[in-house]
């Protein structure tokens, strides 16, 4: 009824600036319509991703592979190319006639290769592509291209090029792993009956009670300094945690999780902090035991890690071979053993008895510093360590009073891991209305959190939850020193590139 | 080595304020340690979610179900309860002795029921629970609780209670569907070899070139009006689209997607707009055909919808029965047929020939208004309609010139759906360096987008992509009129509750 008429015409136009190294000209698309362009001269080739080509069981006739040239080696009788399309760390070897070489066929150029997929005579690879035609789709200005052939660029170097570093082996592997880890974490929770919740990014709450918030205004408002014309009528901030919103949902779905961006406006330049980072958070109703929460943390960590290791072994190997050589054995050991648990009381005792001198003297009632966390993890044998039952006064209002003395400790837990420090934090939440009410009243927050008190008035249940820093998780399992190298576009003080 | 000592003590304490209707006192936890509390008197019961209990194939001995009371009916010889824990729309019927009734056992209270799971004699349900004990874990102040037993509260009513509305049938079903749809969308892309990318939330770009941005400052900075002390050194905004960042990644991984929050500071109160909403975006390299992009849009839509319908049939049924009765048939029909495609040229012709009078006169070169979109969808038979090849001047700089006249049209596509209007938008991107360069220069943006031009200098490939509004998608498949009812915590002008 509604024909395609003139509309289709534009759909199949060949980009005029594309330089082709052969006389062969085709469309990438399998779509065929009444086009005004000349029809293809040859039968359409099966389009294969590099990963598919490399994993093929048998030779195949006319196939087409597209990607970027990672290496080029011209010999008298044969031209070797390696083509990568990001579907795997490994590139596909292309064997071509030297006549197919052209000025534009360089490292970094985008190409489309047609030919026959055959068993490779070399041990290093399973299959290779015998080229019948090579078309340079997009040339590369190699002189100004910051990545160079055959060089292993350090992570610090490629960090300068946030728009290009994903084309390096290390960042390519890392982002594939990140994608798999994301999927593994979602699957873990879905398999265990959790409902996924998109907790809000913009919020009028301040979950941690800290001053390190980003505030939001419309572009116009920031010009005025007046506070009366907020877009939302109230001051609004970027979320520091989805926990309070997850608690709302745990009162309906029992088990819920969220996995999204969170924000801190901390002015710290550190290899473990970002202004924008991802957090996995879960909340469980009908749980009176901190041990239940810790079990989920441990299961999540181990399941996700095993899944990632088995789904992208070559990508993970790159890090365990070149970035953090000892990491693999340590992680395998860790996956087999139960995480260690110590109480905060014990932690302080261990620190007090340490022969080491600390910059911050360990004292009951004081927060554990990075140096303390490091020592505790060492003391326990360089394994993940849960520290539980922290002093009441160190922790936010929503944590559950252990009643082991007048407001002495709360049912909180931090998971410390080697090389990183705090990876997860969690607690039982104060579900008892009178306890929560009096604590909020003392803090002058009872009005602000009336809705949160409501959750305790209407069918309150003992519950708890935790958050895991996703970037720190990736840093730990891969042994990556700097958090800026495990996120696609890092945001930190003085830097918001792209 | 590191014993549990005092630390464990707090883990299993029973909440002192919990009112128990029976003398039976147990822990929710399956964790057993050397606790200072009295050991359990009875064997531990198998804990079942309501969904598991309802789906059980056979009777089971000692089981434990936890949840919230959705109805209570006391007869002379028997007490009936319905317990819901959010794992399904359906509640589990509990049959108890009237002696188990108590003052606290009311609608909305949280309970733990132990008993035997038996085949139900009633046709309406498969299994029911014969209670041996009922413990009220958290009572409910029914007088002030805004949800009432046996009432079907309108969506507008429950919207007033963002912290409690998830306990209503409609919002419960909706958020389970949202969770399943999220999973289905992730699976679709993973199954097709796409790498998932977390595109940044905070950005120094402005993808659409619009003025409707939220700007970010640290809380302190907003007090000063000075612009010199930005946290990131440059003005920073909340993202309106992850597209440009995805294009970076499509230059390494060929196929990429993102699924996250995006923001508009538009001051519009509409049933289709939010200040914070979720967008699914994909970018495909080595694609010269808009049709390829449209095919992915259509496949994504149909696959996700079929998956959601088969995974949560009862939740979906609630909407198709009570909220939008005609929607089911229309959607089933839509899933079977190919989406219609018309060009912008054709669209304008159709509108010009319409007998209807429009507030905005249809004219080539003008944007399609809501009234126009509505008419076009009607004209095509109330089915999804792709409109392609829009005027060059209507669209952003990154869209690909069709070269069908001097800067006449670009290879853009919008997907319009009944009742909603624009659901998706996409395009081929201008991959030709000279075209992009001159357009950016005319706009005075060549310096700002030097990095984007770089992508065309180093192995550029023809590519394209699209974005789909996730809330509008949910509105459409469920027939929900107001977008505020398909997101857990809606943010819109003058409202940022919780």
């Amino acid at each position: 009824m509604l024909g395609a008429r003139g509309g289709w015409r534009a759909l199949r136009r060949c980009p005029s600036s594309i330089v082709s190294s052969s006389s062969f000209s085709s469309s990438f698309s399998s779509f065929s319509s009444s086009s005004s362009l000349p029809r293809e001269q040859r039968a359409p080739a099966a389009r294969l991703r590099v990963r598919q080509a490399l994993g093929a069981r048998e030779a195949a006739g006319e196939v087409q592979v597209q990607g970027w040239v990672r290496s080029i080696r011209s010999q008298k009788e044969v031209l070797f190319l390696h083509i990568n399309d990001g579907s795997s760390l490994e590139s596909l070897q292309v064997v071509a006639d030297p006549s197919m070489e052209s000025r534009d066929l360089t490292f970094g150029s985008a190409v489309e290769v047609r030919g026959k997929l055959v068993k490779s005579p070399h041990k290093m690879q399973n299959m290779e592509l015998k080229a019948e035609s090579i078309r340079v789709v997009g040339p590369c200005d190699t002189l100004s291209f910051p990545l160079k052939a055959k060089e292993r660029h350090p992570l610090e170097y490629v960090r300068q090029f946030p728009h290009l570093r994903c084309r390096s082996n290390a960042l390519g592997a890392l982002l594939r792993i990140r994608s798999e880890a994301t999927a593994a974490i979602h699957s873990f929770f879905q398999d265990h009956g959790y409902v996924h919740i998109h907790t809000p990014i913009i919020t009028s709450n301040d979950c941690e009670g800290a001053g390190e918030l980003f505030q939001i205004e419309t572009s116009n408002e920031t010009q005025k300094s007046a506070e009366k014309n907020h877009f939302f009528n109230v001051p609004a901030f970027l979320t520091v945690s989805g926990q309070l919103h997850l608690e709302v949902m745990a009162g309906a779905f029992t088990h819920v999780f969220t996995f999204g961006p969170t924000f801190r406006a901390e002015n710290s330049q550190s290899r473990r902090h970002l202004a924008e980072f991802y957090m996995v958070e879960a909340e469980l109703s009908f749980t009176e035991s901190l041990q239940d929460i810790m079990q989920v943390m441990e299961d999540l960590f181990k399941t996700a890690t095993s899944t990632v290791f088995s789904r992208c072994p070559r990508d993970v190997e790159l890090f365990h071979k070149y970035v953090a050589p000892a990491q693999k054995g340590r992680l395998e050991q860790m996956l087999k053993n139960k995480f260690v648990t110590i109480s905060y009381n014990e932690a302080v005792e261990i620190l007090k008895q340490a022969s080491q001198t600390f910059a911050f003297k360990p004292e009951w009632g004081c927060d554990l510093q990075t140096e303390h966390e490091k020592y505790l993890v060492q003391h326990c044998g360089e394994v993940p360590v849960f520290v539980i039952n922290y002093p009441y006064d160190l922790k936010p209002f929503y944590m559950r009073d252990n009643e082991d003395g007048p407001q002495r400790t709360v049912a909180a837990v931090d998971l410390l891991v080697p090389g990183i420090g705090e990876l997860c934090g969690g607690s039982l939440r104060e579900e008892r209305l009178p306890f929560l009410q009096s604590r909020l009243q003392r803090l002058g927050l009872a009005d602000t959190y009336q809705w949160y008190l409501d959750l305790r008035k209407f069918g309150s249940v003992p519950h708890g939850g935790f958050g895991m820093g996703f970037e720190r998780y990736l840093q730990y399992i891969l042994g990556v020193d700097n958090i800026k190298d495990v996120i696609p576009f890092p945001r930190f003080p003085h830097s918001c590139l792209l």
Side-chain angles (χ1 to χ4, degrees), chain A:
Chain A
M1 172 185 73
L2 294 153
R5 290 215 300 271
W8 290 126
R9 198 155 32 98
L11 293 180
R12 281 166 51 89
R13 189 177 300 276
C14 271
S16 59
S17 66
I18 281 181
V19 181
S20 173
S21 66
S22 74
S23 61
F24 176 66
S25 159
S26 80
S27 164
F28 295 107
S29 156
S30 58
F31 165 65
S32 97
S33 78
S34 56
S35 161
S36 60
L37 290 172
R39 294 190 68 85
E40 289 182 17
Q41 313 286 307
R42 295 163 62 166
R47 221 203 269 195
L48 286 185
R49 301 294 305 270
V50 165
R51 187 195 183 100
Q52 294 170 315
L54 288 170
R57 295 268 177 93
E58 48 194 39
E62 186 78 347
V63 304
Q64 189 189 55
V65 173
Q66 297 151 325
W68 293 268
V69 176
R70 281 293 176 87
S71 82
I72 182 160
R73 188 157 49 94
S74 179
Q75 296 184 351
K76 203 178 167 192
E77 312 220 319
V78 64
L79 176 70
F80 289 108
L81 298 177
H82 279 95
I83 307 295
N84 191 289
D85 69 353
S87 60
S88 66
L89 181 64
E90 301 85 54
S91 299
L92 178 67
Q93 174 157 292
V94 173
V95 185
D97 189 272
S99 68
M100 292 182 192
E101 209 171 351
S102 77
R103 198 169 53 90
D104 282 335
L105 187 63
T106 65
F107 174 74
S109 62
V111 295
E112 177 187 303
V113 184
R114 282 183 176 229
K116 287 195 170 48
L117 194 66
V118 296
K119 283 269 171 199
S120 173
H122 304 281
K123 258 194 278 182
M124 291 290 285
Q125 69 243 350
N126 174 33
M127 306 299 283
E128 61 184 28
L129 186 60
K130 276 182 87 79
E132 285 161 11
S133 74
I134 300 175
R135 190 164 83 99
V136 176
V137 175
C140 178
D141 177 354
T142 42
L143 276 180
S144 56
F145 192 42
L147 305 181
K148 304 296 170 198
K150 290 180 196 165
E151 271 188 44
R152 190 175 300 139
H153 300 292
L155 292 169
E156 294 75 18
Y157 172 76
V158 295
R159 210 184 290 150
Q160 302 169 78
F161 313 101
H163 59 311
L164 298 171
R165 66 171 182 163
C166 50
R167 303 186 193 188
S168 70
N169 274 341
L171 261 289
L174 193 126
L175 292 173
R176 277 188 299 275
I177 292 168
R178 189 177 165 111
S179 175
E180 284 293 350
T182 303
I185 288 167
H186 275 272
S187 295
F188 172 84
F189 286 115
Q190 276 147 22
D191 294 348
H192 290 81
Y194 285 68
V195 174
H196 177 261
I197 300 292
H198 286 120
T199 49
I201 307 303
I202 303 175
T203 174
S204 46
N205 285 322
D206 164 10
C207 181
E208 304 274 332
E212 309 127 351
L213 292 170
F214 286 111
Q215 190 163 352
I216 295 159
E217 295 296 343
T218 53
S219 300
N220 295 336
E221 280 171 312
T222 39
Q223 310 304 323
K224 320 171 203 168
S225 58
E227 264 195 41
K228 46 197 162 179
N229 285 320
H230 292 299
F231 181 89
F232 296 110
N233 285 12
V234 292
F237 308 96
L238 292 184
T239 185
V240 293
S241 160
Q243 180 203 318
L244 302 189
H245 298 97
L246 272 194
E247 283 189 69
V248 165
M249 295 299 167
F253 302 106
T254 310
H255 291 168
V256 288
F257 82 105
T258 190
F259 184 176
T262 47
F263 305 86
R264 299 287 151 82
E266 276 172 62
N267 198 351
S268 80
Q269 293 279 6
S270 119
R271 58 173 198 85
R272 302 186 306 146
H273 291 89
L274 288 169
E276 171 177 321
F277 59 100
Y278 279 73
M279 197 132 77
V280 181
E281 294 177 273
E283 201 69 29
L284 296 73
S285 283
F286 298 104
T287 295
E288 283 179 34
S289 157
L290 195 55
Q291 182 68 18
D292 284 356
I293 311 296
M294 290 150 63
Q295 193 61 55
V296 179
M297 287 156 83
E298 186 166 340
D299 289 348
L300 168 67
F301 184 93
K302 289 181 173 175
T303 306
T305 306
S306 305
T307 306
V308 168
F309 285 7
S310 71
R311 289 240 189 99
C312 21
R314 299 295 292 271
D315 289 321
V316 171
E317 190 190 19
L318 178 85
F319 288 92
H320 289 174
K321 216 164 163 176
Y322 300 112
V323 177
Q327 198 69 351
K328 195 184 175 195
R330 280 202 294 263
L331 282 165
E332 281 171 355
Q333 207 50 39
M334 180 276 294
L335 289 175
K336 278 184 220 149
N337 295 318
K338 199 143 175 56
F339 291 179
V340 171
T341 303
I342 59 175
S343 69
Y344 172 86
N345 291 351
E346 288 169 313
V348 173
E349 286 311 310
I350 290 166
L351 293 170
K352 278 184 172 170
Q353 282 158 28
S355 55
Q356 187 178 326
T357 331
F358 297 106
F360 293 84
K361 197 180 161 215
E363 201 72 66
W364 201 99
C366 296
D367 234 336
L368 299 179
Q369 302 294 324
T370 306
E371 55 177 348
H372 302 147
E373 294 176 350
K374 207 170 159 184
Y375 183 85
L376 290 170
V377 167
Q378 251 169 19
H379 178 88
C380 297
E382 296 290 353
V383 294
V385 179
F386 286 119
V387 181
I388 62 171
N389 297 328
Y390 281 79
Y392 183 96
D393 287 330
L394 285 183
K395 293 292 185 182
F397 68 84
Y398 48 73
M399 292 199 178
R400 192 174 197 277
D401 190 345
N402 277 327
E403 291 183 274
D404 52 351
Q407 300 170 1
R408 183 171 162 80
T409 69
V410 286
V413 57
D414 280 352
L415 177 61
L416 311 180
V417 297
I420 303 292
E422 186 188 339
L423 176 68
C424 304
S427 77
L428 294 182
R429 319 307 187 187
E430 187 55 83
E431 88 283 7
R432 296 163 295 186
L433 183 59
F435 281 70
L436 188 62
Q437 209 154 25
S438 64
R439 188 156 189 189
L440 282 170
Q441 266 157 5
R442 280 197 304 275
L443 294 165
L445 292 171
D447 283 346
T448 312
Y449 287 103
Q450 194 53 55
W451 66 269
Y452 190 68
L453 288 165
D454 270 3
L455 303 179
R456 277 66 180 170
K457 256 169 85 178
F458 306 122
S460 182
V461 293
H463 66 288
F466 69 94
M468 177 176 85
F470 183 53
E471 282 75 21
R472 290 190 181 181
Y473 167 76
L474 292 174
Q475 276 188 279
Y476 179 48
I477 65 166
L478 300 175
V480 174
D481 189 58
N482 197 312
I483 197 166
K484 299 179 183 74
D485 298 325
V486 296
I487 191 165
F489 300 94
R491 272 80 180 90
F492 51 94
H494 314 303
S495 180
C496 182
L497 296 177
L498 275 51

